[in-house]
């Protein structure tokens, strides 16, 4: 089956520092989606990447899809306390959809 | 517009008892997903419906878990009998279509098996 590795598992940052989470797949992907889950909440869709090498930005968040469509990253510039939560990638290859284990971000004010 | 509605929000049962979860997807969404989420982990797909047809149930433990989606709208997920290891959050999600669509999640049902 499809293998997904998301790193790091946890990240503590000081407010204002940058943060990056990486998602790697063992197979070539159709697309990748990113979700955010606040503590005690449910996953909420952030963005979808489809094209090789695609880069999308949402305010302080930058999402990138690798050239080989096997990896992706999410970068947050100047973190804020509202960024706290777990960030999941969801990989789609054919009809298979697999969520990564998530990166839990904690921000110290 | 109402989101994905799940009930109950919490359920505490003793092992070997049956339990059922209910999900009402967003109106017009053809695809419905049931996920299991353990603490500190990502959602794991249990079953995916396209309308009323279960098209991916390879991860559903069929000896004790069952699901149905009547008339391609609401869905129920049942466990009988429940085991201690079934304690988790059960998430329902829906999307307009299957292939590349955004999934909208419900608040989940937190199950505790004692």
């Amino acid at each position: 089956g499809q293998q997904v590795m998301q790193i790091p598992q946890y990240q503590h940052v000081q407010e204002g520092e940058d943060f990056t989470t990486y998602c790697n797949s063992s197979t070539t992907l159709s697309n990748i989606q990113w979700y955010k889950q606040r503590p005690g909440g449910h996953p909420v869709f952030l963005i979808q990447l489809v094209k090789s090498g695609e880069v999308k930005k949402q305010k302080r968040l930058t999402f990138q899809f690798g050239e080989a469509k096997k990896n992706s990253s999410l970068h947050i510039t100047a973190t804020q306390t509202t960024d706290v939560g777990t960030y999941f990638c969801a990989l789609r290859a054919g009809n298979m959809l697999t969520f990564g284990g998530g990166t839990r971000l904690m921000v110290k004010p | 517009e109402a989101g994905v509605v799940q009930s109950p929000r919490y359920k505490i049962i003793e092992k070997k008892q049956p339990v059922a979860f209910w999900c009402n997807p967003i109106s017009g969404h053809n695809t419905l997903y049931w996920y299991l989420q353990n603490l500190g982990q990502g959602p794991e797909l249990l079953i995916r419906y396209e309308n009323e047809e279960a098209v991916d149930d390879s991860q559903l433990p069929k000896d004790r878990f069952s699901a149905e989606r009547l008339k391609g709208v609401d869905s129920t997920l049942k466990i009988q009998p429940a085991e201690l290891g079934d304690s988790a959050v059960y998430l329902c999600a829906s999307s307009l279509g299957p292939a590349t669509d955004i999934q909208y999640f419900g608040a989940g049902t937190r199950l505790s098996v004692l």
Side-chain angles (χ1 to χ4, degrees), chain A residues 9 31 33 35 37 40 42-43 45 48 88 92 95-97 99-102, chain B residues 33 35 37 40-43 48 56 91 98-103 105-107:
Chain A
Q9 197 172 357
N31 64 53
Q33 297 176 343
Y35 290 79
Q37 185 171 22
H42 57 276
F45 174 81
Q48 177 170 275
F88 293 100
R92 191 179 296 275
N95 286 323
M96 287 278 297
L97 179 71
F99 276 80
Chain B
Y33 311 77
Y35 289 92
Q37 186 174 30
Q41 298 182 23
R48 173 169 65 97
D56 184 355
L91 292 164
T100 58
D101 278 355
I102 300 165
Q103 294 185 46
F105 284 82

